[in-house]
Amino acid sequence: GAVVSQHPSWVICKSGTSVKIECRSLDFQATTMFWYRQFPKQSLMLMATSNEGSKATYEQGVEKDKFLINHASLTLSTLTVTSAHPEDSSFYICSAPRDISNQPQHFGDGTRLSIL
Amino acid sequence: DQQVKQNSPSLSVQEGRISILNCDYTNSMFDYFLWYKKYPAEGPTFLISISSIKDKNEDGRFTVFLNKSAKHLSLHIVPSQPGDSAVYFCAASYQGGSEKLVFGKGTKLTVNP
């Protein structure tokens, strides 16, 4: 069964709206979670690292004021796309590693965000 | 600077034959490598991984080979099945996979019946 749950799976909203995406680890605690973005027919690009109890770490070129990340608990990280515009339309995916070496990261099912 | 490269955007094989997907990396600090299978509009599904201390890992029909000197890894699927048709991503990480993953661009595998 799924070990990482992501919600919602699909969002369509108007330009200027803020959208919150949730990522939950289901049967383990994740002090770190990762947020990726995938454009059509391209690779997954890391946006930011979500850290429980501290600020998120953003990759170069990612606007931290646009993409707000909150690691509210050891099982929940949220990504809020603020004042979304059509260019923010994309597929957003989270992953959570277990705090055990040489264990694969599992991914959520992703969120397709469409901004009209 | 692309640290993980999958140079074949697509691969087509016949059902029952072997599929070989290749991946090259440039950063010698990577110590954990993974293969994921992905369908459109879904999250990646973990297939198999390998630590840098090994050169082979096998799980059923899937085998991953790692050649550290060449900074190359490959995924072998034998026998290939139509249900294997998907995009396959190679990924690399540090510290045994607990750090962020760096992905290749993916290879679209089509297995023809």
Side-chain angles (χ1 to χ4, degrees):
Chain A
V3 297
V4 176
S5 172
Q6 191 172 337
H7 178 82
S9 57
W10 201 341
V11 180
I12 302 175
C13 58
K14 293 182 179 179
S15 185
T17 307
S18 290
V19 178
K20 181 185 284 188
I21 303 170
E22 293 186 348
C23 182
R24 295 181 184 272
S25 56
L26 297 182
D27 62 353
F28 65 99
Q29 294 181 332
T31 55
T32 301
M33 293 186 182
F34 299 100
W35 288 96
Y36 296 83
R37 181 176 182 176
Q38 184 185 26
F39 290 103
K41 297 185 179 180
Q42 294 192 25
S43 186
L44 287 79
M45 300 299 295
L46 180 69
M47 297 175 63
T49 302
S50 174
N51 305 299
E52 194 273 336
S54 63
K55 292 183 179 180
T57 306
Y58 290 82
E59 296 298 300
Q60 191 174 10
V62 177
E63 298 177 60
K64 61 180 181 180
D65 295 329
K66 159 70 84 173
F67 299 101
L68 299 179
I69 290 173
N70 181 27
H71 204 125
S73 73
L74 286 170
T75 59
L76 174 64
S77 174
T78 60
L79 168 68
T80 301
V81 184
T82 62
S83 187
H85 292 284
E87 59 266 27
D88 299 322
S89 298
S90 191
F91 191 61
Y92 295 87
I93 318 172
C94 69
S95 75
R98 295 180 187 261
D99 290 334
I100 304 172
S101 187
N102 292 337
Q103 289 292 309
Q105 290 185 27
H106 292 276
F107 285 78
D109 284 337
T111 298
R112 177 164 298 284
L113 177 61
S114 297
I115 308 298
L116 305 177
Chain B
D1 177 30
Q2 200 178 345
Q3 298 187 69
V4 177
K5 301 177 184 179
Q6 292 177 258
N7 292 320
S8 298
S10 64
L11 174 67
S12 182
V13 299
Q14 207 63 28
E15 180 179 6
R17 306 294 287 269
I18 185 172
S19 295
I20 300 177
L21 295 96
N22 293 303
C23 178
D24 298 293
Y25 61 97
T26 57
N27 191 335
S28 58
M29 296 301 291
F30 289 138
D31 62 5
Y32 189 59
F33 304 89
L34 310 93
W35 285 95
Y36 286 88
K37 177 181 180 180
K38 188 179 182 301
Y39 296 109
E42 294 184 11
T45 300
F46 169 73
L47 276 177
I48 193 168
S49 63
I50 188 166
S51 164
S52 60
I53 62 173
K54 295 185 176 181
D55 54 17
K56 178 182 175 181
N57 189 25
E58 195 171 352
D59 184 1
R61 296 187 297 115
F62 303 93
T63 303
V64 56
F65 296 92
L66 175 63
N67 183 333
K68 282 184 294 183
S69 60
K71 295 191 179 68
H72 177 84
L73 64 155
S74 60
L75 174 68
H76 293 209
I77 306 174
V78 180
S80 301
Q81 300 173 354
D84 295 329
S85 298
V87 177
Y88 288 77
F89 287 96
C90 169
S93 181
Y94 311 93
Q95 296 187 21
S98 61
E99 291 293 320
K100 64 182 181 183
L101 296 180
V102 181
F103 284 88
K105 289 189 174 182
T107 297
K108 184 177 182 180
L109 174 66
T110 303
V111 181
N112 301 303

